[in-house]
Amino acid sequence: MAAIYSGIYLKLRSAKTSWEDKLRLARFAWISHQCVLPNKEQVLLDWVSHALVSYYNKKPELEDEVVEKLWAYLDNVIRSRRLQNLLKSGKTIGLSFSIAQVINERLSEACSQKAQQNIGTVLSCSSGILSTPSLSIIYTAKCELLVDLLSKLSKLACQQLASDDTVGSQVFSVLQLAFAQYLLIQRQQTNPNRVFGQVTSHLLQPCLLLRHLLTARSWTQADDNHVRQHLSREIRNQVETLLQAGLFPPELFSSYKEELLPEQELQEKKRGTLKSLLLPVNTVQTKLGGGFCEPALHVAVVAGSVSLLYKLFLDSYCKAENHLVCFHMLSRLFGCLRLPGLRQGVREDMLSPADWSAELLALEQLLNLVLSSDIYNVASDRIRHKEVQFGFYRQLAQMLMSHSQASIPAWFRCLKLLMSLNHLIVEPDLDDLVSSAWIDAKVSEPRTKKPQEALINTLFQTYSKLRQFPRLFEEVLTVICQPAADELRLPVFSAGLTVKLRECLLELPPNQILDILCLCVEKCQTLIIPAVEGSADMALKLLSVSSVLHAFLFNMRSLDDVTPSPVVLRTQSLLAKMQKGIIQPLMELLQAPRREEEKSDLWLRKASDSALLLVYTWVEVDTLFGVSCSKYVSPAAEIAGAVTASAARHRGISAFLPGVEEQSWERVMELANSFASTSKYCLKLLTLQQMKMILMQTEADLQALQRAAAFILESGRCSISRGESEPWDGDISAISDLTYPTAHWHLVISNLTILLPYISLKDVEYIANVLLETLVLPKAQEADTDPEPSISIGRISLGLMHSSFLPEMKVLHCAFLTSLIHQFARVLPSAARVSVDLPLQQLSAGNIPWHEEILAPCRPVDPLEALSENNLLKDELSLSWKTLEEVAQCVVLLAKNGCPVILKESQLEGCLGLLEIASLLQLDSLLPSDCTRCFLVLLSLLANTRASVSCSKLLFLKFLSTCFHLLRCLQAGRNANSVFKVFHASDVLEAVMTSQLTASKFFTDVLTVPVWAQYLQEVQAVLENFLQMIIERKQSVRLNLEKFMSFLVSCKPDVDAAKSKGWKNWNPAAGQLLLMAFTTLCHVVTLYLQQLPEKKLQSADVLSALLEPVVLQMVRTVEHGLQSNTQNQPLPVAFIPSVTTLLKADLSHAVKNGWQKDPSGFLEQPRIKLYQKFYSQILRELPCAGGNLQFLQSALQFLTVFCSVPELYPGKETAVTVVFALKKLLTGPAVTTQVIQSMEMELTEVLVQLLGNCSAEEFYTIMRLLLQGLEMRNVWQQKAKMQTKEACQDQSLISTIVVPILETVAALLRQGEGVLLNPHHVALAFSILLTVPLDHLKTEDYRGVFLGVHEVLFSIVQCHPKVLLKAAPSFLNSFHRLVVSVMHEGRQKGDRGNTDEFEVILKCAHLVERMYTHIAAEMEDFTAFSAFIVAQYVTELQKVTLHPAVKKHLTEGIYHILDLCIERDIKFLNASLPAGVREVFKDLYNDYNHYHKAKKQGEEKYTA
C-alpha cells in the first residue's frame, strides 16, 4: 500500500494536477498512516507554504476559493494534534520566513481594506504559529517581522474599535500573543538604541492609538465578553510594559539628560555640544505630532498619551537627583498639547468642549504625577535653579485664569493641584481665582460642584494655616462688590462649603474672624446700603454679603466664660454696629410706604431678604451669647433695657430689636410675607425663637404660643398646596419660590415637638394630610435616587415616618391614621360606595371624636365642671367605640354575603402603596381605638375586595400578603385585644377564611411561585396568633374554638363551594389553604390541651372529640390533594406540615391504645399507605429541592416523625434509604453553606431518629455511606487547597471555614491507611497546614486554628507512620510553625491582660510539650532530625523572652528531643550555631544535664 501513495509528492508538485486534487491529496497525506513520505509533515508544510508564497509573488494565477482553502489547510495542519504530538516528541518541523512575510502582507491589505475575505483564517494561522514555540521562531528569529506583525495587528484592532460594529475576540487574542512574544524578545535585546528605534518607528503611534480606543470605547453587551473584561485590560498593560522598556530603559537616561537639561546645567559635568546623536525626547514629540489618526481623535489621543508617557518616564528615572530632568520632561511633553498655543495667540474657540476636557484632564494627570513624585521642591527650585519650575507653573496658572472653563471639573482640579504645589503660584491671581472659580462660576452639575468645593476647601485650608483668612475674604468681598450680573450668581456658601468653613473657623483665632465680620459690616455701611434703594444690583450684593455674615456668625465658636474679655467686648461692639449700621437703616427703608406695583420690585424683595436674614442672625446669636457667656452684655439691653417676658409676649418679635416700633415691624412683616423667599422663612424662624423665649419663662402665655404656632403653619400653607417644589440645600439665603415649600415643611417637621401642643385639631389634621400626600407622591422616593445631599419634601416626610418621635406624637399619629383610611376610601372604585367603602368612610368620618382618647387626660378641667365634662367624655368615647362596633358588624356581614368590590390593577397598586405607608407606622404602639380601626380597615380589604380578571395574580397575592403581614404586626401590639370589644373571635376567623377560600380560585396556576408560599406563611401566622389570643384571653375559649372547627369542617376545597359530594372540581389552592388552617388549628389546640390543668379534663375531652372530624376532613383533603397532583408535579409545601401533624396525632393516639403490644396493627392500613406514599414522594423530591429552604425544613420535620417508627418503612426500605437521599441532597450544587446552616437543626433531628432506631448492620452501612459522602477526592484536590488559601487570607472566615476544614482533614486522617490508600493524599495535608495563618489572630480564632493543626499532625503521627517517615521534613516544618506561634503568643509582657486568654496559650504550650514527648517516645527514626529540631527551637528562643509558665512546658518538651541527640549532634550544634544562638543552646543543654538527664538516670536506676 505504501507504494501506491509514494507518488503523492510528485502529483503535488505537478502542474498537471488540479488544485482541488492537490488539496485533496494533501489532506489525505496528512491524516493517513499508509502514506509514506520521508519527513512527510515538513514536506507538506513546505508545499502549502510555497504555494501561498508563490501566489502572492504573482507567479501562479489561482482562484480566491483555492487560496482560501490553502490558508485553511495551513491552519488545520498548524493546529492539528498530530503536529503538536510530533513537536512534543522532539521532532524538528519548521516554517519558512517567507510565510511570515506573506501573513504580514495579508494583514497590511486588511488594514487598508483592500481584501478582507480570508483574514479570519490568516489570523488563526498567526495565532497557531505564535502559540507554538518551534513555529514561532520565524518571528522571534527575525524581530523586524514580529514588529511589523505587531504594528499591523494593532492597526487592525484600532479599525475594529473605531467602527460601530461589534468587537470580536480573534484579532485581540492574536494581538495579545504577539505582544507577549515581542516583550520576551525585547527583554533579551542588548542594544537599547535599536529597541528605541523599533518602538518609535513602528509601534509607538499604533500602540498609543490602540490604548486610547480600548480605554475610551463604550462597550456594549454585543461586544465579546472576553475582550471587554480581560483582553482589553491585559493588552493595555502590555502596551505600557512595551513602551516603558522600549522608550525609557536605564541605558538611555544619559541621552534624555543631555537633551533635556539646559547647557548651563550640564557644563559642570560636560562642556560643548551634545555628544549623543540620539534625541529621544524630540523623536517622541515628533511622533506625537504626526498625523497617525483621524483629526477628530488626535487631541484626545495625544492628551491621554502625554500623561502615560510621563508616568512611564517617572517610573523609570524618578530619583531625588533627577528631579530637574523630570521637570524638563514635563515641560516638553506639555508642549505636545494644544494648551500652550493659547499663550501664543491661538484662539480659545479653536478647542471644542471635548478637546478642552481632554487637555485639562491630561494636565491634571501631569500635575498629579508631579505632586505625588515630589518633583517640585520650592526651596531647591528658588536657590539652585532660579525658580524655573515656579515660572512654568505660574504661566500655567495664568493660562487657566485667562481661559476659565468652569463647566469642566478638571479645570478646578488643575487649580487645586497648583495650590497644593505652592499657594504663591496662584496668589497673584487670587481675585481672578475667587471670581472665576467661586463667586461668578456657573456651576450646577454635581460632578463639577464637587471639584469646585474641593478647590475652595483647599483655599480655606491654605489661608487658614497661613493665618491669612482675612486676606482671602477681603478678596471675596471685593469680588462680590464688583459690578456683575448678580442675578445669575449662585449662593456664596453651598451646604458642603458651609461644613468646610465651620471646620476652619473652629481653628482660627477669634480676632481674625472678627476682622472678617468687621470688613463685611464696613462694606455694607459704606458701599452697599447708601446705594441699595432702587438698585437690584446693590440689593443682590447686599444679600451675598449678608449670607457671608450669617455663615460666619452661625459657624464660629460661641462665646463662653473662658473667652478673653477683649474678644467679648469686640463682639458686642460688632453686633451693635451691625444693628445700628445695617439692620436699622434697612428697617427704615422697608417700612416706608410704597405703591402696590413697587412691592414686586426685585431690589425690594432682595433687600427684604437681607434685612430679615440679618435680623434673625442677630437675634439668634445675641440670645446664644447671652446664655453661654456671663460677661456678654447684649447691645439691645444697653440701648433699650432688658427684654422682659411680658414684652416678648405682648410686643412680639419687635421686642427683640431695639429701636424698632411695633407698627413699623408690622409693616416690615407684611412686606416680607408677600415674598415666598428668605424673608418669609426668617420671619417663621423669629416666631419660633419667640416661642422658645416664652417657654423659657416661668409662666407661659398659652394664647401667644397658639398665635405663633398658627402663624408658622399658615405662612406656608398656600405654597405647599400648589404642589410645586424643588429640593433645598439648607442655605437660608438661597430660598426661592420653588424651594420655599421644602424649607417651610422642613421647619415645621423639625420643630413639631414645640408646635404640636399649641396648634388646633384642624391644623393637626392638615399636617397629617400633607404628610400622607407627600408620601404618596412618586417623588417621595427621590431620596434614594438623588445623588446630592439635598432636602426634599418626600425625604423629610419619610424621615418623620422612620423616626421614633411620631408614635410619641399621639394626636398626629391618630390624625395620620384617619387621613390614611380616608385615602383608602378614595382609592376604591366609586361603585363601592354601598359595600366596602362604607366601613372605610365611617372609620375616617370627621364627626367622630377619634382623638378624644388622647386629648382627654391632657385637658385642664375646672373642678366645678368636672362632672359634666366626665359625662361628655364618656359619651364621646362611647360614640367612637359604638361606631367601631357598627363597622365591625358591617364588615362581617359583607364578608358573609360575598359581594366583594372588584379592583382594577391601578387601584390595587394604589392600595399597595398605602399599605406600604401603613407599614411605616409603628402599629404595635397604637392606642386601643386606633388599633381596632386599623384592624377593621385591613379586615375589610381582605374580606371584601377582589382583583379583576385582567389584574396580575401575583400583584393581588402581594396585596393580600401585605394585609396579613400588617395584621400580624397589629397582633404583636400591646392593645391587640381591643379588637375583641367589637368582634366575636370566631366571626373574624370565619370572615378571613371565607374570603380567602373564595379568592383562592384565582391562584390555581401560581401555586409554585415564592409569593404563594409567602402568602400561606402570612395567613398561617395570623391564624395562629389569633387562636393563641383567644386562648390567652380565657373568655369563651371553648365556644369560639367549637364554632371555628365546625366552620372548617363544613368548608369544601372545590371550585364551586356548593358541591358537597365528590369534590370533582378540586381547587388545589383552596386545598392548601384548608390544610394550612387544619394544621394550625390542630397545633394550637393540642398545645392548649397539653397545658390544661387536671380540673378541666372534661373540656379537654370535648375539644378532643371536636378535633376528630377536623382530622378526618384533613385526611380527606390530603388524599384528594395527592390524587389530583400529577405524576411529575412537585409536592405542595403546604401539604407537608399537615401530614406531619396527622402522623403525630395518629402516633399519639396509638401510644394511648398501647400499640407496642401489637406493632402490626397500631394504625389503619389506608392511613399507613397514605404516609408511605407521602414518604416515597418526599424521598424522590428531596435531592432536587436545592435551595428551597421552606420545603427542606418541612420535609425533614416529616422524616423525623416518620423515621421514629421503623415499622412504617414501605417494602424493604430502611433507614439507609433515607440517608442515601440526604447524602444526594447535601452533595447537590444548589445546597450552599447558608442553606445547610438554616436546616442544621432539622437535619440533626432526622439523623438522631435514624441512628437511634436502626440495627447494628444498618448503622455500619450508614456510617460507611457518610464517610464515602465526604468525597475524598474533593477534599484533597488542588481546588480545595486553593479555597483553603483564600479562606485563610480573610480572617473573618477563620472560624467558619478554616477550622472546620482542619477538623474534617483530621477526621479523615483518623480513618487510617485502610481508607486513605494513597500516601500522596496524606502528604497533601501538609500543603493545607502551611497556608493556615497562626499569627495576628484573635485568641478565640488562634485556639481553634492551633487545635485544628495539632489534631491533623497528631492524626498523621498516630495513623500514618509510614507517610510520616517519608515526609518527615514537611511534618517538622508544620510542627515548627506551631512552636513559633506559641513562642510569639507566650512571650513575656508587662501586663498579661485577660486570664482566660493566657490559659489558652498555656494549653497550646502543653500540647506542644506532648507532641515533643510523643515524637521522642514512639518515633525512633526521628533521631536523624533531632539536632535539626533543637536548632530550630533555640533559634526562635533567642528572639523572645518567654513567660515562665509557657517556657516550662516548651523546655520539658525539647528535653525529650535532646534525649535522642548523641554526642556527635551536640558537637555539631556547638560548632554550627551562630554566636548568640549558641549561648542560648549552651544554657539549655546545661539545664538539661543538670535537671532532666539526672532525673531520668535516677528513674532508670529504680526501674525494673
Side-chain angles (χ1 to χ4, degrees), residues 749-963:
I749 296 301
S750 54
N751 292 284
L752 264 179
T753 48
I754 298 173
L755 297 173
L756 204 59
Y758 307 106
I759 57 178
S760 65
L761 277 178
K762 282 191 176 180
D763 285 339
V764 174
E765 288 167 7
Y766 161 72
I767 292 174
N769 289 333
V770 174
L771 186 59
L772 181 60
E773 284 168 17
T774 53
L775 287 167
V776 170
L777 288 172
K779 289 182 181 176
Q781 301 302 327
E782 67 192 4
D784 301 326
T785 55
D786 186 10
E788 281 288 285
S790 53
I791 303 164
S792 66
I793 290 181
R795 186 177 284 176
I796 296 163
S797 300
L798 274 176
L800 178 62
M801 295 302 294
H802 287 298
S803 75
S804 57
F805 295 111
L806 183 60
E808 302 298 322
M809 304 173 189
K810 296 191 182 299
V811 179
L812 182 60
H813 213 215
C814 179
F816 183 79
L817 184 60
T818 305
S819 183
L820 188 63
I821 297 169
H822 184 64
Q823 191 68 24
F824 270 115
R826 290 177 60 188
V827 167
L828 294 177
S830 55
R833 299 296 174 207
V834 294
S835 55
V836 72
D837 195 35
L838 182 62
L840 295 182
Q841 290 284 15
Q842 285 180 287
L843 291 173
S844 59
N847 60 342
I848 306 295
W850 305 114
H851 312 86
E852 199 56 43
E853 196 172 356
I854 305 156
L855 297 176
C858 308
R859 187 174 291 146
V861 178
D862 189 334
L864 298 174
E865 300 175 2
L867 187 61
S868 60
E869 285 286 344
N870 282 336
N871 292 333
L872 182 63
L873 172 62
K874 284 178 184 177
D875 291 343
E876 288 181 339
L877 286 174
S878 61
L879 176 62
S880 60
W881 280 103
K882 190 176 180 182
T883 307
L884 290 173
E885 204 169 323
E886 289 173 4
V887 172
Q889 298 311 312
C890 179
V891 170
V892 171
L893 188 64
L894 287 169
K896 284 182 180 177
N897 292 339
C899 301
V901 178
I902 307 302
L903 300 179
K904 296 176 183 175
E905 189 153 338
S906 59
Q907 291 161 343
L908 255 186
E909 287 171 350
C911 285
L912 258 175
L914 293 173
L915 287 171
E916 285 174 17
I917 293 171
S919 68
L920 298 175
L921 289 168
Q922 294 185 24
L923 298 176
D924 56 350
S925 62
L926 291 175
L927 290 168
S929 59
D930 285 344
C931 180
T932 307
R933 274 204 297 165
C934 200
F935 188 92
L936 286 167
V937 170
L938 293 170
L939 187 63
S940 178
L941 291 173
L942 281 170
N944 303 314
T945 56
R946 295 291 173 274
S948 63
V949 179
S950 60
C951 185
S952 164
K953 294 176 182 178
L954 296 180
L955 186 70
F956 187 42
L957 266 179
K958 186 181 177 185
F959 166 74
L960 294 175
S961 298
T962 309
C963 288

